[in-house]
Amino acid sequence: MDTDTYQDLVVRHKNLVHGYAYRMLGNREDARDVAQEVLIRLWENREKVIPDSSKAWLLRTTYRLCVDRTRRKKVRSEVFGDTVLEPVADVTPGPEKLSTAGELGRAIEAALGRLRKEDRTVVLLREVHQTSYEEIARILSQPLGTVKARLHRARIRLRRELVEAGVTP
Amino acid sequence: MNMNCEKAQATIQERIDGHLMDGRELAAMERHLESCAACRRFQVDMVELHDGLAALPELELPDEALEEVWDRTVRRSSGTVPGRWRWMAAAAAVLTVAMAGSWFGLLDREPEYSPDEIARATVEARAALGMAGQALQRSQTVAMEEVLGGQVTPALEKITIGLP
């Protein structure tokens, strides 16, 4: 892809990448780092990435970098005794975004943060980023049946989290 | 075909995801929903959850983070700049062309210059115009620097100095 196409893709997808990373990691600084890294990798791989499938490439790369980062933090916490980040306790988006999110949105964000990483990622990909089952299977390198079953279970868990928090979706 | 709650709830989710369903399966689910209040509640909750998730706000990447991305990609690689900077570079190049053009106008009105001076000025002006043309074509930061003070402006100054 040429420079103009790259710039267009970055402008179009930067918030998607950042939002996915933030909701996966629950930390602004990490999300920002991962988003930047993903967008830079898109530049480095611009000869290989097909613009029409760039959204899937970006989500796949974001997912992998989030997993790497979580794993590194986990190892670090085991060595240095830091707090383990998983599951993320609170991915509330901050006051500037909350005003538009509403109470249900806020409750959903908090409940998402309490899901296990594996559950959270399928819900985010399917429901927030409107990714197809097939694409999710490719992103997560899992069979289609596994993705469907995981998504169904994750939604049920999310609903349970909301009910337990006193919020009926 | 009878359906239990587990199968009904999976089918409800498939339908929410927009997947086409077998007519018999759909009918069985509807029959199950008629007799199962829990699954009816589940269906309402799932639809609301689906809508709520889809309505979550975008989380904007801060501008300074995006600027760093440009610095480490397009700007570092080829000096290309996105958006408004490209237009500024092009505008500067056009301004330079206009300045050079005004020199030709002056030359037309001042016939007292010697043929050598006119020839020298013409060569210098052509060089300046060439650089400005290249700058306009590339639309890059580097080009903007050339136009605004690196190479093109000194070339024009040379013309000024060279003429009486």
Side-chain angles (χ1 to χ4, degrees):
Chain A
M1 74 178 78
D2 60 21
T3 303
D4 285 346
T5 307
Y6 169 76
Q7 288 174 201
D8 289 345
L9 289 176
V10 168
V11 170
R12 196 187 314 157
H13 295 309
K14 64 185 169 65
N15 295 343
L16 171 141
V17 170
H18 182 242
Y20 180 47
Y22 185 58
R23 289 182 172 120
M24 282 298 291
L25 297 166
N27 176 295
R28 284 176 187 280
E29 201 177 321
D30 287 344
R32 178 191 156 128
D33 287 353
V34 164
Q36 286 183 316
E37 184 63 31
V38 170
L39 298 175
I40 290 164
R41 285 195 186 191
L42 177 65
W43 173 256
E44 290 166 351
N45 290 279
R46 65 191 181 282
E47 301 303 328
K48 295 180 214 157
V49 179
I50 300 161
D52 286 346
S53 58
S54 59
K55 182 184 166 190
W57 187 92
L58 288 165
L59 287 171
R60 188 165 59 243
T61 308
T62 308
Y63 169 73
R64 286 177 184 165
L65 289 180
C66 286
V67 169
D68 284 351
R69 191 163 281 246
T70 307
R71 205 173 281 151
R72 278 207 308 272
K73 288 222 168 185
K74 204 170 178 179
V75 169
R76 202 187 133 187
S77 76
E78 282 164 6
V79 175
F80 298 107
D82 294 356
T83 307
V84 180
L85 278 183
E86 187 187 349
V88 175
D90 182 11
V91 288
T92 309
E96 74 280 6
K97 296 294 175 193
L98 282 180
S99 58
T100 56
E103 195 179 332
L104 178 60
R106 218 177 305 193
I108 290 174
E109 292 274 15
L112 267 175
R114 289 192 295 273
L115 288 183
R116 291 191 329 207
K117 178 172 62 62
E118 294 80 8
D119 290 343
R120 191 162 62 240
T121 197
V122 285
V123 171
L124 285 174
L125 289 170
R126 176 66 206 139
E127 298 279 25
V128 181
H129 302 301
Q130 282 82 46
T131 313
S132 68
Y133 287 173
E134 291 77 10
E135 200 57 68
I136 296 171
R138 276 196 289 274
I139 290 169
L140 304 180
S141 303
Q142 287 171 356
L144 191 62
T146 306
V147 166
K148 271 194 200 180
R150 175 164 287 169
L151 178 62
H152 291 183
R153 277 200 308 270
R155 281 180 175 141
I156 289 169
R157 286 183 183 132
L158 187 57
R159 177 184 182 236
R160 195 185 305 144
E161 285 286 345
L162 288 166
V163 170
E164 282 173 9
V167 181
T168 307
Chain B
M1 184 182 184
N2 286 322
M3 199 175 260
N4 61 23
C5 289
E6 192 181 344
K7 176 68 181 162
Q9 292 183 5
T11 310
I12 287 167
Q13 293 199 52
E14 294 258 352
R15 187 157 73 166
I16 288 171
D17 284 332
H19 286 222
L20 290 175
M21 296 164 68
D22 172 62
R24 283 174 54 206
E25 198 175 18
L26 196 60
M29 187 189 77
E30 294 296 351
R31 276 200 307 278
H32 178 86
L33 286 176
E34 280 172 19
S35 62
C36 181
C39 283
R40 282 200 302 275
R41 181 72 241 171
F42 179 86
Q43 181 169 248
V44 170
D45 285 356
M46 279 295 128
V47 169
E48 289 185 8
L49 187 58
H50 175 74
D51 293 344
L53 283 162
L56 287 181
E58 276 200 331
L59 300 177
E60 223 167 278
L61 182 68
D63 287 346
E64 62 273 19
L66 181 61
E67 287 300 313
E68 280 177 38
V69 170
W70 297 137
D71 284 343
R72 292 169 64 186
T73 56
V74 289
R75 285 182 187 139
R76 176 178 292 182
S77 165
S78 60
T80 303
V81 285
R84 61 186 185 276
W85 298 109
R86 175 181 304 181
W87 288 106
M88 282 183 69
V94 168
L95 182 67
T96 308
V97 172
M99 284 166 63
S102 73
W103 267 108
F104 285 117
L106 278 177
L107 290 176
D108 288 342
R109 288 196 302 274
E110 300 288 346
E112 66 269 26
Y113 298 137
S114 71
D116 281 348
E117 286 168 340
I118 292 171
R120 197 171 63 245
T122 304
V123 169
E124 298 284 7
R126 277 186 183 149
L129 280 172
M131 277 187 252
Q134 285 170 7
L136 184 61
Q137 274 186 337
R138 289 202 301 271
S139 297
Q140 295 172 345
T141 305
V142 175
M144 187 164 67
E145 285 164 4
E146 286 175 4
V147 169
L148 293 178
Q151 295 171 28
V152 177
T153 306
L156 285 171
E157 281 166 0
K158 265 173 87 178
I159 306 169
T160 318
I161 293 162
L163 290 172

